[in-house]
Each structure stands twice: as C-alpha cells, then as structure tokens.
Amino acid sequence: MGEYYIYSNCLGVIVLDNNFKLVEKIDVKPDSDFSSWLDEEKALVEKYKGSELLYLGYKKEKTSGIKLSSDPKKISRLIDFLKERKDEIRLKNLKNTIKRVKEAVSKDNFIVQAINNIEEIQKAANLLVKRLREWYELYLPEFSKSIESHEKFVDLILKRDKEKLLKEIELEAEQSMGADIDSKDMKPVMNLADDIKALYQLKDTHEQYLNELMKEFCPNIQAVAGTLIAAKLIAHAGSLMGLAKLPASTVQLLGAEKALFRHLKTGSRPPKYGIIFQHPLITKVKREEQGRAARVLADKISIAVKIDAFHGKFMGDKLNEELGGMFK
Amino acid sequence: MKQVNPGIYEIRRKNRILLTKNLTPGKTVYTEEIVKEGNDEYRTWDPFKSKLCAALLKGLKSSYIKEGDFVLYLGASTGTTPSHVSDIVGKDGFVYALDFAPRVVRDLVFVCKDRENMAPLLADANRPATYLGNISPVDIVYQDIAQRNQVDIFIKNIEAYLRLGGYALLAVKARSVDVTKKPRQIFSDVRRILSTKYQILDEVILEPFEKDHCMFVVKKQF
C-alpha cells in the first residue's frame, strides 16, 4: 500500500515513494518513445497494484492503474530529485547528441559544400583574372582586348610568347601599345597566370565530382535542372528533403527573395524566376514566354526532386521530353 | 561592479555593460571580453548578439532566471546566450540547450563540453514529445526561434515541460511571422494569444539592438 510516483526519461524508469526517495530504477533504451507507456512502466503498474500510483509528467494517453499528475508541489520535488542527477542526464545527452550530429551528415552536405566551393572559386578566379589582365595589358593590351573568355586568355598567354600572340591577332610589333618588358618583370605576371589556371582546373575537378555525386544521389533533378542549377537549388533549400518539401511555386522563385519580398511589401512587379533563370530552357525562349517557361520548369524540377528524395525510379529523360515538347 | 539581477552584474563605461560571472574561468564562448575583479572573472554580454541581454538593457523588470534553475532553452544556436544563462543558473542549475540544425549544434556541443551545467540536444522544438526522454520538467522556458509558428511552439513546450508557477521568456521576431504585417500588429496578436493562457509579466521592444523584435515574459499559473 502507500503512494508511489513514476517518472521516466533517459535515466530510466524511476519509482519514488511519497518522500521522493528512490525505490527502484529500471534502465530503458534512451531512444524509446517516452510519450507512450513503455513496457517497463506497464510492468511496474502491475507490480505496484493496490498502491496509489501517479505518473509525474506527460503521456499522450491514459492507461488503467496509474494517474497522470502535474501537481506543482510534486513536480518541484521531482525537479529537485533530478537536479541531484543532472550530471548523469548531461552525459547521456552529450553522448546522444554527438551520435545524432554524426548521423546527420549525408550526401546533401557534400553537394552543398561542393557547389558553394565552386561558386567561391569562380568569384576568386574572376577577381584575380581582372588583375592579371590589367597587369598583362602593360605588355600586350591588344591581345587581352581581343579575347573575351578569361579561361582561354589565361591558357593562351601561358602557352605562347608575345611574337606568336601578335601573329594571332595579325598585328605588327611596332603597332602595339604594349611596352617591352624584361622577362624578370614578366615573371610575376606569369606566376599569377599559372595559379589562376590551377584554380580553373580545381573548379573543373569539383564539377566532375559534383556531377558523379548527383548522378548517384539525385539523378532526376540533375537531369531536369542540370548539375549546377540542381546543386544550387539544393544548397538554397539546405537539403534534398528540404527542397522536396517546397511547392513548385517556391522552387521557381528560390534565389529571388529580395524581389519577392519587395513585391509583397510595396506591390512592385513580382519576380518570374530565381536560380532557375540560368537554365537553357528559360534563356532560349522569347521574352514574353519566359515567365511561363519558368513556371513549367519549376513544376518539373519539383516533381523530379520529390522522386529523388523518396528514392523513386529514374525518369528524368521522360520529364525532359515533356518539357522540351512544350516550347518549340 | 554592482549586481543588478541575480547573477547579472553591471559596469559603466560609455554605455551600461552587463556581465555574468564566468563559470569556466579562462575560457570564452564567442568574442566577449573578460573582466576580472578580485578572484572572480566576469564575461561581458553583447546585446547585439543576445536578445536576453538586449531585453535586460531595455528595461525588463527582472531576468526571471535565478541561481539553481532548470532551464529549457529552445533555439540555442551556437550557444552564445545559453552560455550566459548557464553562468546565471550556476553549478546548481542546469540548461537544456536545444536546436534543430546539426551545423550549429556541432558548435554547441563544444560549449556544452566545457560547461558542466549544460546539455546539448538536437531536436525539433515543434515536436516536444520527441525529446521527453532527454529532458525533465523545468523552472524556465526560454525561446528564440525564428519560425512562423513560434508562438505555437512556445505554448506547446510550456505545456509539456514548464512546471506550474514557472516563467517563460519568448523573443518574437515579427519578420518571421509575417513580413507584410506591421510588427506592432504582430506583437499585439502575440499578446492576445498568450494572455488567454498565461499571465503576461513583461514586454519590451528590443530596438535598437534587434529590429522588429519583442521579448515577452509569461508566468504559468497554478
């Protein structure tokens, strides 16, 4: 007979007498569902039959033989009881959380890191190449002006000397504005070009890696949106599952938040597309069709990412066909 | 240095600066400054990084958190404010620091490893039943979560974990509730919802430290 209190958490199922002295403690798995009645708790209800039993805390349903209580005096004393065991609670939680953080790492994280890194390399390379051109133009301005692609420019100045480059742009040496510069003074310029080239190569390697990673992890969205756009969308949403949970209308505007909120606040014209603007489908169609193309593309991307997130079959080619058929 | 609230101290330089007594002397958590007085070491508290500090400077009547309290901290992030709460409750108190994003919990774990009265928790505050086994009833619930349904989350957690008579603090970010509405409108909505369930003890706007934020303090009555 008498009154007993039961409370369970990661410490175990705890039975206390009405002086809050520990009567017994039964270990349970820390990842049990504590909102339902555990088998251990049911066994205790059976064992203490005939006594007044109170469960101190929350359960989602009632069960016979034990009452739920949130009596503030009892809860305060329960807190006092647990305060003496806080070191144990802390260690269990630390262990549990460390395990869960570890398990939370997935392929999504690799995609996000890789695409962010690719964008950063791109930015860094652009910054450096601007300086390189500025510097190199003291030496041979006409060649630098004649070639638009940064990557090609870096490649060519490393491969060929001044004479050959002049020939390529069909210019006599006397007609050039470029100064005669000692090889000693050109060396740092060329060193810079070397490193920029290495940066471009690094970017290519990462793109290849991303390509393969996505082929394996999310082939559908890759097929519909293309590797880079798909990766940017995933990075923006935070994870593949996060992107899959977004409606197509949101996918359409990811990356256009500034314009969207300006629209919502001031009533200015709404944006038509965000990250997906870089997709060839949108860049190719006529201007007045772009809004429609963005909407359709976002729909297909949204279908594709849902297939990937829930491990469906590959049907990216079918989605692409449907897309291509709509804009001809 | 004078004590202005339990566990909270103040010095005056150009502005008022709040400090808490460092539970882990020699170690800092973020970019805070250490001030020594006698044998004790204090950490300055940055109101631009911590909404609780901002609220205190803006005239919160009390900090409501006292030594020895058990605190459930929702939206712990990398542990900036939780570390000060951990200073305030001291070695007899305890802070359950919860966040949903693995990335920030990774940093939080490092803070918790140093502090013997803090436990990290990777869980979704939207679903209190999922971490029943990890925590216990508490004396204080503190919430700083930028979610649309932040008030809903607050009430769910108070109902599940706060003991009767305990205090709960909520930092409302109006911009995450609805960008199109006026912040004042949102704050008054929040006030109305909270007052149907609890007694509202305090309410301060956090300008200029945080834009469009408001701190509410409620008491869960017997």
Side-chain angles (χ1 to χ4, degrees), chain A residues 58-99:
Chain A
Y58 170 85
K59 289 281 176 193
K60 60 185 173 206
E61 76 239 329
K62 286 181 183 159
T63 187
S64 61
I66 185 163
K67 282 184 196 150
L68 291 173
S69 168
S70 56
D71 177 352
K73 275 194 193 128
K74 294 193 178 73
I75 298 287
S76 284
R77 295 206 52 187
L78 173 68
I79 295 177
D80 288 339
F81 173 85
L82 292 168
K83 272 178 186 165
E84 279 163 33
R85 284 156 185 80
K86 65 190 175 62
D87 292 341
E88 202 184 334
I89 297 179
R90 171 172 174 267
L91 290 178
K92 288 212 157 128
N93 273 322
L94 255 176
K95 204 174 141 195
N96 186 276
T97 304
I98 287 171
K99 189 168 144 248

Side-chain angles (χ1 to χ4, degrees), chain A residues 136-165:
Chain A
Y136 191 82
E137 278 168 20
L138 300 172
Y139 182 58
L140 189 46
E142 292 82 2
F143 179 70
S144 173
K145 287 279 185 271
S146 77
I147 206 157
E148 208 160 291
S149 156
H150 291 328
E151 228 171 317
K152 240 192 211 158
F153 169 75
V154 175
D155 212 37
L156 284 172
I157 64 165
L158 279 171
K159 263 194 212 144
R160 298 186 189 149
D161 57 13
K162 191 170 187 176
E163 224 169 282
K164 275 193 188 145
L165 290 174

Side-chain angles (χ1 to χ4, degrees), chain B residues 139-162:
Chain B
D139 303 299
I140 302 277
V141 170
Y142 179 97
Q143 178 179 316
D144 175 11
I145 295 181
Q147 287 286 323
R148 186 155 215 169
N149 60 342
Q150 46 192 304
V151 179
D152 194 32
I153 296 175
F154 187 58
I155 291 171
K156 271 193 244 174
N157 280 283
I158 291 179
E159 292 305 314
Y161 294 111
L162 187 62

Side-chain angles (χ1 to χ4, degrees), chain A residues 7 9-10 34-35 58 70 72 75-76 79 82-83 86 89-90 93-94 97-98 100-101 104 261 264-265, chain B residues 68 70 91 93-94 102 105 112-113 115-116 118 120-122 132-137 139 163-164 179 222:
Chain A
Y7 173 77
N9 69 3
C10 54
F34 289 92
S35 64
Y58 170 85
S70 56
I75 298 287
S76 284
I79 295 177
L82 292 168
K83 272 178 186 165
K86 65 190 175 62
I89 297 179
R90 171 172 174 267
N93 273 322
L94 255 176
T97 304
I98 287 171
R100 293 181 72 175
V101 170
F261 288 119
L264 290 175
K265 264 190 193 160
Chain B
F70 261 35
K91 59 184 193 315
F94 199 71
V105 172
C112 294
K113 272 185 179 169
R115 295 181 165 260
E116 283 176 12
M118 268 179 87
L121 216 64
L122 179 65
L132 272 170
N134 301 94
I135 71 174
S136 62
D139 303 299
R163 69 167 168 86
L164 295 176
V179 279
F222 289 103

